[in-house]
Amino acid sequence: MEAIEKLRAKCLERGASGIRGLARVFRRLDANRSGTLDADELHRGLEEMGLALEPQEIEQICQRWDRHGDGTLDLEEFLRALRPPMSQARKDIIAAAFAKLDRSGDGVVTVGDLRGIYSGRDHPKVTAAEFLDYYSGVSASVDTDEEFVAMMTSAWQL
């Protein structure tokens, strides 16, 4: 089993808080707010969460997610990689919810699309990719496609 898959499985054993809890620990360890972690920070974060991996597995993860060859891994990209893949049913229901928000149909949710529904003052635009990324995180904590589709259908009145 690849190290990232082993770590994902360990996180998912903890339920909905597994990956989110790890994300909180990693963000706290990123003291300089660079958005990256080095091997030592990764190791400390995993130990703190009780998700110990073998040193060679930590090295494998660092090498795989070190995009710039500087000995660090991109935190957000790494956390996205930890999320389990989503089924097409989940992606489809997320797309339907996004389409409901995107009243103009241009692929971007703007303040105009949300006027009267939401104050977009601090977040003036939401793209379909950002919407999918958000719900990918939510998806990680829902066991079955049926439950996920029901949750999305209810939340977005689809």
Side-chain angles (χ1 to χ4, degrees), residues 4-5 7-9 11-12 18-20 22-24 26-27 35 37 42 61 64-65 67-68 73-86 91 127-141:
I4 193 84
E5 293 168 359
L7 181 55
R8 179 185 301 135
C11 286
L12 292 175
I19 294 173
R20 280 188 298 216
L22 190 59
R24 278 191 300 274
F26 284 156
R27 287 188 183 105
L37 293 175
L42 176 63
I61 288 172
R64 168 68 176 90
W65 297 104
R67 298 287 190 212
H68 304 291
L73 54 95
D74 180 277
L75 181 55
E76 293 305 320
E77 197 170 317
F78 172 66
L79 291 170
R80 273 197 286 294
L82 276 177
R83 296 176 186 158
M86 286 196 310
K91 290 178 183 178
T127 66
E130 291 167 332
F131 198 74
L132 177 64
D133 186 50
Y134 171 77
Y135 275 106
S136 176
V138 173
S139 173
S141 66

Side-chain angles (χ1 to χ4, degrees), residues 8-100:
R8 179 185 301 135
K10 285 183 173 195
C11 286
L12 292 175
E13 286 173 5
R14 294 173 173 249
S17 65
I19 294 173
R20 280 188 298 216
L22 190 59
R24 278 191 300 274
V25 168
F26 284 156
R27 287 188 183 105
R28 185 175 41 74
L29 288 172
D30 181 22
N32 66 357
R33 303 286 184 239
S34 65
T36 62
L37 293 175
D38 61 26
D40 182 55
E41 291 168 325
L42 176 63
H43 182 257
R44 283 187 289 148
L46 294 177
E47 269 191 351
E48 188 173 317
M49 290 289 295
L51 300 169
L53 292 177
E54 297 296 322
Q56 67 270 20
E57 292 172 317
I58 291 174
E59 182 63 30
Q60 179 188 28
I61 288 172
C62 287
Q63 287 176 353
R64 168 68 176 90
W65 297 104
D66 181 358
R67 298 287 190 212
H68 304 291
D70 62 358
T72 64
L73 54 95
D74 180 277
L75 181 55
E76 293 305 320
E77 197 170 317
F78 172 66
L79 291 170
R80 273 197 286 294
L82 276 177
R83 296 176 186 158
M86 286 196 310
S87 69
Q88 193 59 49
R90 292 179 187 218
K91 290 178 183 178
D92 290 346
I93 196 71
I94 292 168
F98 184 83
K100 187 171 183 176

